[in-house]
Amino acid sequence: MSALAQTKAEESIASNKLQTTPGKRGYAENLYKISGFPNMDPSEAAKKAVNSWYSSVKSYNYEAPKATGFSQVVWNATTQLGVGVASKDDITVVACTYSPRGNVVLQNGNPKDLYYYFSRNVFPPTNP
């Protein structure tokens, strides 16, 4: 998974575009671009990306779920994660790959599947 993520980060830097891989595949991707920080530490870049994706938890509606970077980060059925970071000049791209893919919206074309899959994979925060 990390090799896929690294390749995606490098392709994104080379093309100067953030675009997820089209088509159906067994994994999902989150992409994040950071500008204005030359020589950014890869660990810091990854942390910034995950914090950004996760931050939408504040506005996430568990009763009317939708696919977001947050929902992919916390998708319960995902068991593998890959992280790739690539930089050029003052731009850094972080790519994360997830398998099995999350944000499953429909199975068998049934719109009711949306709530079914999200309710079993994206849980409201709990208080410790």
Side-chain angles (χ1 to χ4, degrees), residues 38-107:
N39 303 316
M40 182 165 216
D41 177 68
S43 294
E44 283 302 309
K47 182 178 178 181
K48 216 172 166 61
V50 172
N51 285 341
S52 175
W53 296 321
Y54 190 85
S55 70
S56 66
V57 65
K58 299 172 205 159
S59 60
Y60 193 80
N61 184 345
Y62 295 90
E63 298 303 314
K66 63 180 183 177
T68 66
F70 158 72
S71 58
Q72 178 57 75
V73 167
V74 300
W75 196 265
N76 189 55
T78 295
T79 58
Q80 297 177 4
L81 168 69
V83 180
V85 180
S87 297
K88 180 181 177 185
D89 301 324
D90 68 339
I91 298 172
T92 300
V93 171
V94 178
C96 287
T97 52
Y98 307 86
S99 180
R101 66 179 298 118
N103 287 338
V104 175
V105 177
L106 294 174
Q107 292 283 338

Side-chain angles (χ1 to χ4, degrees), residues 30-42:
N30 276 353
L31 303 172
Y32 187 76
K33 181 179 178 180
I34 304 164
S35 300
F37 297 94
N39 303 316
M40 182 165 216
D41 177 68

Side-chain angles (χ1 to χ4, degrees), residues 19-31:
Q19 184 175 355
T20 57
T21 304
K24 292 185 178 184
R25 57 198 186 287
Y27 65 94
E29 299 169 335
N30 276 353
L31 303 172

